[in-house]
Amino acid sequence: MMLQTISQSGAGIAGAQSIHANVYATQPVAKFATDNQKRSMLPKLISGQWRACFGVTEPNTGLETLKLSTRAVREGDEFKISGQKIWISSAQVATKMVLLARTTPLEDVKRPSEGLSLFYVDFDRHNAGLELRRIKKMGGRAIDANEVFFDNYMVPADSLIGEEGQGFKIVLHGMNAERCLLAGEALGLGYVALEKASKYAQERVVFGRPIGQNQGVAHPLADAYVNLEAAKLATYHAARLYDASDEGSSISQHAVGVACNSAKYLAAEAAFTACERSILAHGGMGYAQEYHVERYMRECLVPRIAPVSREMILNYVSEKVLGLPRSY
């Protein structure tokens, strides 16, 4: 609800992304770090002294998370990290990174989900072995996105979160939270787009009456609103399941995953429809920066693509919910 409100204020996805990594990326730390780690890691995040970014995606694996190749090799009381991450938001201003890296080579594990470990590391671009390159983007330009290169970057062994080799299971808690948060941001973007369109349709007079009096303008906007309302219910349901799924709960992580993926899908599609129809309701002025809706249109593509594509969500539901054969 917080991120929906930020997005709906007009700040959009860019405004929400300025803080959302600190909400979802740190969930695995809050859930799986030791008590000593929590005492040293969380207070400064909560106070805002530290900012975190999320280091999972790699250029050569994309959605194949289990094939991540960034290596973390133990050397005494440290791990040496080498590899590359991409699409890392807020890395230019982050002081910490929640990093997923491979501690056991893929060929040496029994299951692909094993051998990945999660770290909470200092992230100082001036340290040896760390390089950042900013990515030029279509939208959301207020928030930096980056390629990150590790070249024998040393981190202390006590930055490991949870058991070594179990990082993929741990990081799923952050991924489900991310889907929920992106859904909320998409909702806010859709609602603010409709607010702009409705205001314009009331004020713009053509042929002696407001254009919003025409059903050809009004009905598409009303339909977009109904879709947003349905997606909002799915999103709030997913958020409630996520919050209630602590250890000892009867709510399975499977149920949480289905709800969070479904919410992200529905909210992203509803937001896209709302933003597109808002531009069309504005006519030519929808293409002008003055009314902001062109920015919303550019930004609404983000939740359709990230953190997982629409097609992969449908694959997930097909296989995990409907029991259909895996297609990839």
Side-chain angles (χ1 to χ4, degrees):
M1 293 177 70
M2 175 182 70
L3 289 169
Q4 177 187 332
T5 301
I6 292 171
S7 180
Q8 193 169 340
S9 73
I13 297 290
Q17 283 190 337
S18 67
I19 64 166
H20 79 175
N22 293 282
V23 180
Y24 77 81
T26 54
Q27 288 298 309
V29 179
K31 289 179 180 288
F32 295 96
T34 65
D35 290 339
N36 284 338
Q37 285 178 319
K38 291 176 183 177
R39 281 192 290 269
S40 66
M41 294 175 176
L42 295 180
K44 289 186 178 180
L45 272 173
I46 295 169
S47 69
Q49 290 178 263
W50 289 347
R51 296 186 65 180
C53 59
F54 200 34
V56 174
T57 306
E58 295 184 2
N60 295 322
T61 57
L63 293 170
E64 291 187 278
T65 305
L66 297 179
K67 292 186 178 179
L68 294 182
S69 59
T70 294
R71 288 297 313 277
V73 178
R74 184 131 193 182
E75 293 188 354
D77 293 332
E78 294 181 302
F79 281 92
K80 181 170 66 177
I81 298 172
S82 296
Q84 181 182 355
K85 299 293 181 179
I86 196 169
W87 292 112
I88 310 303
S89 297
S90 301
Q92 298 284 341
V93 296
T95 49
K96 300 288 178 179
M97 172 182 271
V98 178
L99 171 69
L100 189 64
R102 182 161 292 285
T103 46
T104 303
L106 187 60
E107 59 270 19
D108 293 339
V109 297
K110 294 180 180 179
R111 303 175 61 184
S113 59
E114 297 174 350
L116 292 168
S117 298
L118 193 69
F119 300 87
Y120 181 75
V121 303
D122 287 330
F123 196 74
D124 185 346
R125 60 187 300 176
H126 301 295
N127 285 351
L130 182 62
E131 180 185 354
L132 275 65
R133 295 180 190 168
R134 191 187 294 258
I135 300 170
K136 294 182 179 180
K137 300 185 294 178
M138 173 183 179
R141 297 170 190 159
I143 304 302
D144 58 273
N146 303 271
E147 294 178 275
V148 179
F149 300 87
F150 297 99
D151 183 11
N152 297 328
Y153 186 70
M154 305 304 295
V155 302
D158 62 6
S159 62
L160 176 69
I161 303 298
E163 294 182 34
E164 184 174 333
Q166 299 300 308
F168 180 71
K169 295 178 182 178
I170 295 172
V171 83
L172 286 178
H173 288 265
M175 291 180 173
N176 282 330
E178 185 180 19
R179 284 154 174 70
C180 263
L181 297 182
L182 257 294
E185 294 168 28
L187 289 173
L189 201 62
Y191 280 119
V192 72
L194 288 186
E195 290 169 12
K196 296 283 188 183
S198 298
K199 185 175 184 296
Y200 186 83
Q202 293 172 41
E203 296 174 350
R204 174 65 169 157
V205 175
V206 178
F207 299 120
R209 63 183 194 174
I211 61 172
Q213 194 171 342
N214 300 306
Q215 292 180 349
V217 174
H219 284 186
L221 299 180
D223 176 73
Y225 177 83
V226 171
N227 288 331
L228 285 170
E229 287 288 287
K232 180 171 69 175
L233 291 175
T235 300
Y236 290 6
H237 168 67
R240 281 193 294 268
L241 284 186
Y242 181 87
D243 286 343
S245 64
D246 292 332
E247 189 173 348
S249 168
S250 61
I251 300 170
S252 69
Q253 288 305 306
H254 169 74
V256 175
V258 171
C260 293
N261 276 286
S262 299
K264 205 283 286 191
Y265 181 95
L266 290 170
E269 295 305 295
F272 178 82
T273 298
C275 291
E276 179 190 38
R277 291 179 181 177
S278 177
I279 284 184
L280 295 177
H282 281 79
M285 297 312 295
Y287 208 68
Q289 291 185 354
E290 177 184 354
Y291 288 89
H292 296 285
V293 290
E294 58 83 28
R295 172 167 63 89
Y296 302 155
M297 188 71 214
R298 286 186 281 116
E299 292 189 358
C300 80
L301 294 172
V302 172
R304 292 185 103 200
I305 298 169
V308 61
S309 68
R310 297 176 298 158
E311 292 74 19
M312 287 303 293
I313 288 178
L314 295 178
N315 283 337
Y316 176 84
V317 172
S318 299
E319 179 187 353
K320 302 297 184 181
V321 180
L322 303 180
L324 300 174
R326 183 170 177 160
S327 62
Y328 60 96

